[in-house]
């Protein structure tokens, strides 16, 4: 199912037009459409893998790193996993039509605020074919059309995925123009998407800090920023060693490449002698390189000296920065300066420290005595994750389907006028 | 109470710093601070009126229109009205600390999503001194610091108002840097405000469509768009004459200069003979110039021929465009093309038409059988209005104090790690 549109703008206008009928689909229709998409992706597995092979061949020729090639690679089991993810999204409750507020004016006019689809959701991301399927499925489940821009390295793979998804919609009598890609327009496609104000209702960038910064700065379409995580854990004076060690090791090593992994640990000076040695040893046993300030280096063996740059770094690897702070105020100052407002956690048994930390840290998720790895849509019970918002407008923290909806007020009267 | 900051950026950084303590104020402290501000504005009335006189003198010399001079003018009763508005905002419930969502994970970690202040709210607006006081009071009531950019024509007036408000905060031991103006930096002040990403959390432009367009296009700070209202009323085939006439006349003439006033009336062809004559006559009796298509001109006397430009015009005056449409689909097409997504209303006794209109019109407020003038924070029971959002992100429709807050998740555990 291919489109006749020949420019990125034409495709976006087709998506906007399709959004009207997509937005009126009922719960069952949307669910069935997603199940059909899952089937179509599985049925097209051979085509998808072949297209992916060609992307990989080109990538290898053009010097794409082995890590990026691995991220890009699809085989039959990975294609099956994409289809399974779509089926999971199909099973989620419909976020559209929820009554958010209700009131009746004195004159009898009734007001109802209901959740409605945005209309057209755009996404700019890097060469991860799973995002192509994820975002399209999440957008459709919430009644939106979608415009995808997924990176040149995955162009043929994304095209094969989009072809399969559009075909499934068309076969069910649903407007296939609801799923669009502008990959084949290269950087111009991304640029047009960022300036499609009035056509695209919201733009969700996913990928590196640099990609997100570019989108946030350049886009005139409203953006939901899913930013980097320079995530902190504070070991307060009263932190139990066992909690401190288990949570820091878990938050760093359970999956170091993701944004909710801890990057910096701040240790209260009064607890440093007690905690630094065993926590560093446990991290090192888990393969972590600890970048520490002079006090940390004095209290533990094998510590790499930290520079100012370390405090601002999202390693996304088995590296961790550790610093001894004078007290909770000093820890809060450090976090204010270096946090990306994603997630921070304090390990403490002092109720006053816990209360201050929860109140004063200005991040999407602020924790006491838990691993920062819990900042996740799946863990929060949302069933699927659109991303983790680090901005304060519209959505903050893990985003589920509800965050892909807007609202409108419905007013019903019987001839009332304003006095 | 003047500031030592010498650049717009320094002032915004002072506001960001002040936001920390402002955000932790309790309900009573914020209320008392606003009452002190109201008193201080009244006490400074003579200074404020004198500063305003100088602004008016300069405006008159530089050719400021009489209408703009009137909008700018403050006398003692108008200053008293400003103080009264602050007292009303003081009396509103605190929007901070509200529990939005709660859940407990299987592992015992408890999650609470609470409303929190944004931090720093910026506003760019035109020469209306009342906005200076309104936005500052609304921002403080919701625990935010504020940076104001109110237009060169009102510079001295705004400075006197800001001085009085900052003085009131200082006397109560609250950081006066929470209220900042960048008026004295002219266009550079506005530009710095629009690019203060990471310092200013949200920007609310208020004023002309052109001002809002500039802010939306140029700002890298997230914007809440309070846009223009090309507002439509559809007179369906079954519209009762009395409702049609009363609602259209009310929506146009009760206060023509505001964004929720109707600009275009679309009349179903099957009802045109019955409705156009009496509705046009009633409008004309109210002093309205009707710009009509040829059918309207044929059915009523004294109609000015409408051009394509009329359909896209927000008159904000005693002018109204009227067009006969073939049916509801034709009306929906017209609205899709020309609406600014603010408010539209249908007058009908047909349940199917009403249901289609409410479902299919993509506007902040969609009405049946009520005057579009009800789209208003006061009418909706919000007590005070930050503006009417015409965007879909974060806030849509009339915004109250709740829309000046963000949220954060608080997680409380006892050593849990992710499996």
């Amino acid at each position: 199912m291919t489109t006749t549109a020949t420019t990125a703008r034409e495709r976006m206008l087709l998506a906007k037009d399709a959004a009207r009928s997509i937005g009126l689909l009922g719960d069952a229709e949307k669910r069935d459409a997603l199940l059909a998409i899952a089937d179509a992706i599985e049925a097209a597995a051979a085509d998808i893998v072949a297209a992916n092979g060609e992307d990989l061949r080109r990538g290898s020729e053009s010097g794409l790193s082995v890590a990026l090639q691995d991220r890009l690679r699809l085989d039959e089991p990975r294609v099956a996993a994409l289809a399974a993810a779509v089926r999971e999204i199909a099973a989620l409750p419909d976020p559209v039509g929820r009554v958010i507020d209700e009131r009746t004016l004195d004159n009898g006019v009734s007001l109802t605020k209901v959740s409605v689809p945005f209309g057209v959701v755009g996404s700019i991301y890097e060469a991860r074919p799973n995002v192509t399927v994820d975002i399209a499925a999440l957008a459709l489940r919430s009644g939106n059309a979608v415009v995808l821009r997924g990176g040149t390295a995955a162009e043929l793979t994304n095209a094969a995925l989009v072809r399969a998804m559009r075909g499934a919609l068309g076969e069910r009598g649903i407007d296939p123009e609801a799923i669009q890609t502008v990959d084949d327009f290269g950087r111009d496609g991304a640029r047009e998407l960022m300036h499609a104000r009035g056509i695209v209702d919201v733009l969700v960038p996913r990928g590196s800090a640099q990609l997100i910064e570019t989108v946030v700065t350049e886009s005139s379409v409203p953006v939901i920023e899913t930013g980097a995580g320079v995530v902190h854990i504070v070991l307060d004076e009263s932190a139990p060693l066992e909690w401190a060690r288990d949570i820091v090791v878990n938050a760093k090593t359970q999956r170091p490449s993701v944004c909710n992994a801890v990057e910096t640990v701040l240790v209260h000076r009064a607890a440093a002698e007690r905690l630094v040695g065993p926590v560093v040893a446990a991290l090192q046993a888990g393969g972590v390189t600890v970048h520490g300030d002079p006090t940390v280096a004095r209290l533990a063996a094998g510590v790499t000296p930290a520079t100012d740059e370390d405090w601002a770094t999202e390693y996304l690897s088995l590296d961790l920065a550790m610093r001894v702070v004078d007290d909770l105020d000093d820890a809060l100052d450090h976090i204010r300066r270096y946090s990306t407002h994603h997630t921070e956690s304090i390990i403490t048994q002092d109720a006053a420290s816990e209360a201050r930390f929860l109140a004063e840290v200005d991040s999407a998720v602020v924790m006491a005595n838990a691993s920062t790895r819990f900042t996740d849509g799946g863990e929060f019970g949302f069933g699927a994750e659109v991303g983790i918002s680090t901005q304060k407008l519209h959505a903050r923290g893990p985003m589920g389907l509800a965050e892909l909806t807007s609202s409108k007020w419905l007013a019903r009267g019987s001839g009332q006028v304003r006095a």
Side-chain angles (χ1 to χ4, degrees), chain A residues 98-112:
Chain A
R98 191 168 52 93
V99 173
I100 300 163
D101 197 353
E102 277 183 299
R103 38 187 82 206
T104 304
L105 307 188
D106 289 343
N107 60 21
V109 172
S110 85
L111 296 173
T112 315

Side-chain angles (χ1 to χ4, degrees), chain A residues 35-110:
Chain A
L35 294 177
I37 281 177
D39 293 345
I41 286 172
E42 283 184 332
D47 285 354
I48 293 165
V49 172
N52 185 253
E54 178 62 15
D55 275 336
L56 284 167
R57 197 187 59 73
R58 293 185 191 177
S60 166
E61 276 180 21
S62 65
L64 196 68
S65 75
V66 173
L68 287 178
Q69 287 187 46
D70 181 61
R71 213 164 77 173
L72 170 59
R73 179 169 289 111
L74 287 182
D75 49 21
E76 300 256 350
R78 283 191 178 183
V79 172
L82 294 181
V86 174
R87 291 191 183 103
E88 274 179 38
I89 293 168
L92 293 174
D94 191 345
V96 170
R98 191 168 52 93
V99 173
I100 300 163
D101 197 353
E102 277 183 299
R103 38 187 82 206
T104 304
L105 307 188
D106 289 343
N107 60 21
V109 172
S110 85

Side-chain angles (χ1 to χ4, degrees), chain A residues 330-367:
Chain A
D330 196 13
L332 292 169
D333 277 345
H334 181 103
I335 289 170
R336 218 162 12 246
R337 180 153 177 205
Y338 294 107
S339 167
T340 54
H341 312 291
H342 187 296
T343 301
E344 334 292 338
S345 186
I346 188 170
I347 315 303
T348 186
Q349 288 196 305
D350 181 274
S353 293
E354 174 175 325
R356 271 199 72 193
F357 192 82
L358 293 178
E360 296 186 28
V361 172
D362 182 26
S363 295
V365 185
V366 191
M367 299 180 167

